[in-house]
């Protein structure tokens, strides 16, 4: 199978919005693909979004080979790769054309270092430090991420954590880890002043032992649009009660935080 046949195969297999078809097939015709390039050698600072998209689709074939070699089911592969559709939509909206960005993030997916297991995503990591738990930088952990796909149902999150425990025990038995970690605006403890205790976000926070808080406006990019800044909010409509509260706080100089936390294995 040629590189372009592989790219077309994965474009259809993953299921991107048909609105990209014209741009995709034109790009597929116009770009040359170097079959010697891999996810490990690709320039993750590349600013040609169409080129990025074609190559990342090409890399899916090798990702599938890795999954098969390890024995990981194909449904986990597809659930993991589906994240590409979100980032294609986000960056295409920002750029006004078909554009795949967030390459560093997606390289974890394509490199078989991150897996979507139920509601949450889980990634190999070793960059955290939790002094109270005895975790220092360099210690291996499983990092937890929260894709933007509907409600953050707490029971689904618990099922996902259980799924991850079984997954890593079965497929990566030699990987030594003691905690799930998380670094997110969702762990900002000031959200408890905005949301009630029955909020899914607060219930999610309560799963973790939160060790650190830091100032961050990341909440704006996730609540409104990617890369949103405070100055942008004057022209962005708040479409939910939560967004209205965040917008009002931001425009009045409120300070937001993110947090880091862990869950024992």
């Amino acid at each position: 199978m040629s590189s372009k046949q592989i790219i077309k195969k994965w474009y259809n297999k993953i299921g991107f919005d048909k609105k990209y078809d014209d741009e995709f097939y034109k790009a597929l015709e116009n770009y040359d693909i170097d079959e010697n390039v891999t996810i490990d050698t690709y320039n993750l600072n590349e600013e040609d979004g169409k080129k990025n998209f074609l190559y990342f689709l090409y890399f899916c074939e090798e990702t599938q080979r890795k999954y098969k070699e390890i024995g990981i089911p194909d449904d986990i592969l597809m659930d993991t790769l589906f994240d590409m559709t979100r980032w294609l939509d986000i960056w295409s909206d920002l750029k006004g054309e078909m554009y795949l960005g967030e390459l560093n993030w997606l390289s974890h997916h394509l490199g078989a270092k991150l897996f979507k297991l139920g509601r949450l995503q889980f990634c190999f990591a070793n960059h955290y430090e939790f002094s109270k738990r005895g975790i220092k930088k360099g210690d291996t952990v499983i990092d937890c991420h929260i894709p933007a796909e509907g409600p953050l149902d707490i029971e689904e999150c618990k099922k996902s954590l259980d799924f991850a425990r079984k997954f890593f025990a079965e497929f990566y038995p030699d990987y030594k880890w003691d905690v799930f970690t998380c670094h997110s605006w969702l762990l900002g403890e000031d959200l408890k002043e905005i949301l009630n205790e029955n909020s899914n976000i607060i219930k999610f926070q309560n799963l973790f032992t939160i060790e650190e808080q830091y100032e961050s406006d990341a909440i704006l990019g996730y609540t409104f649009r990617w890369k949103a800044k405070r100055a942008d909010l004057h022209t962005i409509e708040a479409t939910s009660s939560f967004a209205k509260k965040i917008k009002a706080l931001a425009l009045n100089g409120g300070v937001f935080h993110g947090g880091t936390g862990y869950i024992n294995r």
Side-chain angles (χ1 to χ4, degrees), residues 130 132 205-212 260-264:
F130 293 104
K132 295 177 183 177
Q205 281 191 9
N206 291 338
L207 293 175
F208 292 83
T209 298
I210 300 175
E211 188 160 313
E212 180 186 4
T260 56
Y262 63 87
I263 299 172
N264 289 325

Side-chain angles (χ1 to χ4, degrees), residues 76 117-118 158-168:
I76 294 177
L117 305 172
K158 290 178 181 177
K159 289 178 185 177
S160 192
L161 290 163
D162 285 340
F163 188 175
R165 292 182 179 100
K166 295 173 184 175
F167 174 88
F168 289 103

Side-chain angles (χ1 to χ4, degrees), residues 1 33 43 63 82 109 132 198 220:
M1 191 181 298
I33 302 299
N43 176 18
T63 305
F82 190 75
H109 304 53
K132 295 177 183 177
N198 292 317
L220 303 181

Side-chain angles (χ1 to χ4, degrees), residues 93 120 182 190 217 260:
D93 184 57
L120 306 173
C182 187
D190 44 7
D217 274 354
T260 56

Side-chain angles (χ1 to χ4, degrees), residues 64-77 80 112-118 122 124 142 160 162-177 265:
Q64 184 181 53
R65 188 197 66 76
K66 290 179 181 177
Y67 270 58
K68 287 183 180 298
E69 187 177 84
I70 297 166
I72 302 172
D74 201 52
D75 61 334
I76 294 177
L77 170 70
T80 300
K113 299 172 184 176
L114 177 148
F115 309 92
K116 175 78 163 23
L117 305 172
F122 300 89
F124 298 116
I142 299 296
S160 192
D162 285 340
F163 188 175
R165 292 182 179 100
K166 295 173 184 175
F167 174 88
F168 289 103
E170 179 177 356
F171 297 110
Y172 296 94
D174 296 330
Y175 184 78
K176 306 302 180 185
W177 63 285
R265 179 176 179 177

